[in-house]
């Protein structure tokens, strides 16, 4: 089973994705974490990605498409996975659809975490104080929200045509949201 978490930055994809992946015993693939690890290690990928990430812009598809291919090819990801942070653009969605399609698989569920923009900003600003993420500055937060609306939100319509998008209210207690997701997935 392949499950994709969609939602604006700060909507809780990472938190809910982790809970769901652990419950279902599936690996979670998180492009943001992979990129942050590459930045920390100073690999060529990390050096290329850092300038975009710090500004809140998307790392170009020329770079990300390879990363996605590698991750989906891993033995762990053959039976299913929870996808967090990708696909985030139309070309990324095409790659994921095509890769799974070649294997006779598909995205089974898309969970869209719905959170009002003022709450998103509040969460990211709080997180900045706690974790010091280099893209939680006010300018980068603004850019990330704009980029989400422009590049990623259109994927909702793409997947809605297939009837696999579930809207989940993303505000409230973490375990209540997790329970709602469990109800939607049916396991
Ligand atoms: P958030 O969704 O809170 O902005 P992420 O951890 O998902 O945080 O992503 C952080 C940054 O990493 C993004 O702003 C972007 O620069 C980069 N990034 C992560 N995933 C992708 C992706 N699939 N395509 C392009 N850039 C990505």
């Amino acid at each position: 089973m392949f499950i994709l978490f969609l939602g604006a930055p700060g909507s809780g994809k990472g938190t809910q994705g982790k809970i769901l992946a652990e419950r279902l015993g599936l690996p979670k693939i998180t492009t943001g974490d992979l990129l942050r690890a590459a930045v920390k290690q100073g690999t060529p990928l990390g050096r290329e990605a850092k300038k975009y990430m710090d500004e809140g812009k998307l790392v170009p598809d020329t770079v990300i498409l390879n990363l996605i291919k590698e991750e989906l090819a891993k033995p762990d990801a053959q039976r299913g996975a929870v996808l967090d942070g990708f696909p985030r653009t139309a070309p990324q969605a095409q790659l994921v659809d095509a890769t799974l399609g070649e294997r006779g698989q598909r995205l089974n569920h898309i969970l869209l975490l719905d959170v009002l923009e003022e709450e998103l900003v509040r969460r990211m600003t709080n997180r900045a104080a706690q974790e010091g993420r280099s893209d939680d500055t006010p300018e980068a937060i603004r850019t990330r929200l704009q980029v989400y609306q422009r590049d990623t939100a259109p994927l909702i319509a793409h997947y809605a045509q297939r009837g696999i998008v579930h809207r989940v209210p993303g505000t409230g207690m973490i375990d209540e949201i997790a329970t709602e997701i469990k109800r939607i997935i049916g396991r």
Side-chain angles (χ1 to χ4, degrees):
M1 166 145 46
F2 287 85
I3 299 167
L4 163 61
F5 275 90
L6 258 184
S11 60
K13 302 183 297 283
T15 304
Q16 292 300 331
K18 181 164 184 278
I19 295 173
L20 183 66
E22 279 172 7
R23 198 161 53 71
L24 298 180
L26 291 174
K28 176 157 97 81
I29 308 175
T30 306
T31 41
D33 287 350
L34 294 167
L35 291 169
R36 276 185 290 276
V39 169
K40 211 165 152 194
Q41 287 162 16
T43 66
L45 168 67
R47 285 201 297 275
E48 172 69 13
K50 183 171 169 41
K51 49 193 181 214
Y52 298 99
M53 296 174 76
D54 284 350
E55 288 186 22
K57 294 180 179 158
L58 291 184
V59 177
D61 279 337
T62 47
V63 175
I64 293 291
L65 293 178
N66 279 319
L67 180 67
I68 292 177
K69 254 185 230 161
E70 276 173 26
E71 288 302 315
L72 291 179
K74 288 189 173 164
D76 269 25
Q78 298 311 299
R79 286 185 41 251
V82 172
L83 312 185
D84 165 16
F86 81 100
R88 220 169 171 112
T89 64
Q92 291 179 23
Q94 272 160 23
L95 175 66
V96 171
D97 291 349
T99 305
L100 296 183
E102 281 163 15
R103 298 171 3 188
Q105 298 169 323
R106 61 190 176 87
L107 288 174
N108 302 93
H109 299 285
I110 306 214
L111 298 163
L112 177 60
L113 289 170
D114 222 353
V115 177
L116 286 176
E117 181 153 323
E118 54 187 39
E119 169 70 7
L120 295 170
V121 173
R122 213 166 49 80
R123 288 183 186 180
M124 284 187 271
T125 310
N126 281 342
R127 184 170 67 185
Q130 287 163 11
E131 295 175 18
R133 242 175 77 166
S134 57
D135 61 349
D136 278 342
T137 62
E139 308 84 80
I141 288 174
R142 248 195 318 275
T143 306
R144 282 155 64 204
L145 290 169
Q146 283 167 0
V147 167
Y148 173 76
Q149 288 305 335
R150 191 190 62 201
D151 295 333
T152 307
L155 300 183
I156 299 167
H158 167 73
Y159 288 121
Q161 290 172 347
R162 291 195 224 159
I164 54 173
V165 177
H166 314 274
R167 223 168 249 278
V168 184
T171 13
M173 305 284 286
I174 289 176
D175 57 346
E176 284 171 7
I177 300 169
T179 304
E180 173 62 8
I181 289 172
K182 186 174 179 180
R183 190 188 65 74
I184 290 169
I185 305 282
R187 51 185 272 212

